[in-house]
Every structure is written in C-alpha cells, then in structure tokens.
Amino acid sequence: MKLNQKGFLGKIIVFIMLSIIVGGCIYVYYNLSKSVLGEIIYPLKNIQENLILSQYEFNYSGKAERVIEFSQIKLGEVRKLVDNNADSDKIIDTLEQLKLMQDKAITYLDQAKSNAQSTSKVIEKLVSVLKDQSNELDKMTYEVNPDIYQTIIDAKDYTDENLKKLNP
C-alpha cells in the first residue's frame, strides 16, 4: 500500500510543478506586451523583439514595419510610466529606446531602398506613426513633472526631425 502512496504523491508533485510552469508561461505571455522598464519580465520583451526581427533577416522593409510597431509599443510604455508618475530615469530610458526604434526604422528603410525593396507603404506608415508619436509627446508635456519636461520636448523634437527626414 505504501508504494502506491509514493507513486500517487510523485504524480501530485509533478502535476503541481507542471501547473506552476504552465501558469508562469501564461502569465508571461499575457503580461509581456504590457510590461514597462523596471518590471521583472521586461527583459523578456527585448528578447522577444529581437527574435521577431531575426525572422526578417534580409527583408529590411519587413524589419522596418516591425520596428515601427515596436516604437508604438515604446510610446505606450512612456505613456504608462507618465500616467503612473514613474521615476524620471525610467521615463528617460524608455524615451531613449523610443528614439532608437525610430532610428532603426529609418535605417532599415534606407537598407530596403538600397536593396530595391518596396518601401512606399512602409514610409507612409512610418510618417503616420511619427506624426502620432509627436502629437502624443506634445500632450505629455502638459502632464509631466518639471524635471522630465525638457526630456519629453527633446524626444518630440527628435521625432519631428525624423519626420523631416522622411518628408523633406
């Protein structure tokens, strides 16, 4: 009888462990896109972005489109941080990541052009997104603490400069 109890106990332990693993994976899956800088699962978000971009090895137009989407996510992170009165350093770091995403998108578009890949639709999308980002950053200037105000203005100016690059 004791052998059966050990086997049953082992099965329960395995079931509990699998439940924890599956539950953790489900938690990460549903919360990864909502995570912001400073949260424990945030580094996984960057890994996910890099994995997605690696699928477009020589398709620079496709990479540009994905990076445009990532830049919108970064702007959402900035918004969430501002709304939650987060630490200024987190907002500044996330704004820097937003600017890097904009730069990557423009770089990938330039590479797509040099490889004779179609870019007109992607350029239109990026121009639209940059306009939206500029407007959203402008709105944030009225909502932020004075210590972060200039950083938001700088990010808006940077976004406007990128718009000028695409619409001379």
Side-chain angles (χ1 to χ4, degrees):
M1 202 68 159
K2 288 185 179 184
L3 289 177
N4 287 340
Q5 288 176 341
K6 282 186 179 181
F8 181 70
L9 184 60
K11 288 178 184 179
I12 289 176
I13 291 171
V14 168
F15 175 77
I16 290 171
M17 290 174 57
L18 286 174
S19 297
I20 291 170
I21 291 169
V22 169
C25 290
I26 291 170
Y27 172 82
V28 168
Y29 178 78
Y30 284 107
N31 290 297
L32 195 58
S33 64
K34 301 176 205 168
S35 66
V36 294
L37 189 63
E39 292 180 357
I40 195 161
I41 62 173
Y42 188 77
L44 295 175
K45 190 176 198 175
N46 292 329
I47 293 169
Q48 178 190 39
E49 290 172 356
N50 289 330
L51 286 172
I52 290 170
L53 287 179
S54 70
Q55 296 173 9
Y56 296 90
E57 189 167 343
F58 296 109
N59 180 356
Y60 298 108
S61 184
K63 277 186 177 184
E65 281 192 78
R66 295 298 82 76
V67 171
I68 292 166
E69 292 168 8
F70 297 157
S71 75
Q72 283 294 82
I73 292 169
K74 291 291 177 215
L75 183 66
E77 292 173 21
V78 173
R79 167 51 68 196
K80 185 175 178 181
L81 290 168
V82 167
D83 288 348
N84 292 332
N85 293 318
D87 181 53
S88 297
D89 290 338
K90 288 181 184 178
I91 297 171
I92 291 168
D93 289 346
T94 307
L95 284 167
E96 287 301 315
Q97 291 175 15
L98 172 65
K99 290 170 16 179
L100 284 172
M101 290 292 179
Q102 292 176 0
D103 289 343
K104 277 186 181 181
I106 291 171
T107 299
Y108 288 142
L109 281 171
D110 290 341
Q111 290 173 325
K113 286 178 193 173
S114 67
N115 289 320
Q117 295 175 7
S118 175
T119 59
S120 59
K121 289 182 181 179
V122 181
I123 290 172
E124 287 176 22
K125 182 176 181 179
L126 181 55
V127 166
S128 174
V129 165
L130 289 175
K131 286 179 182 177
D132 290 345
Q133 289 178 355
S134 179
N135 290 335
E136 184 64 23
L137 289 166
D138 188 48
K139 289 178 192 174
M140 282 185 215
T141 60
Y142 300 102
E143 304 167 15
V144 296
N145 298 327
D147 61 330
I148 198 76
Y149 175 82
Q150 189 58 48
T151 306
I152 299 283
I153 292 291
D154 293 344
K156 182 192 178 317
D157 291 345
Y158 193 85
T159 301
D160 292 341
E161 285 298 317
N162 281 332
L163 264 170
K164 288 178 188 173
K165 290 178 191 175
L166 297 170
N167 278 337

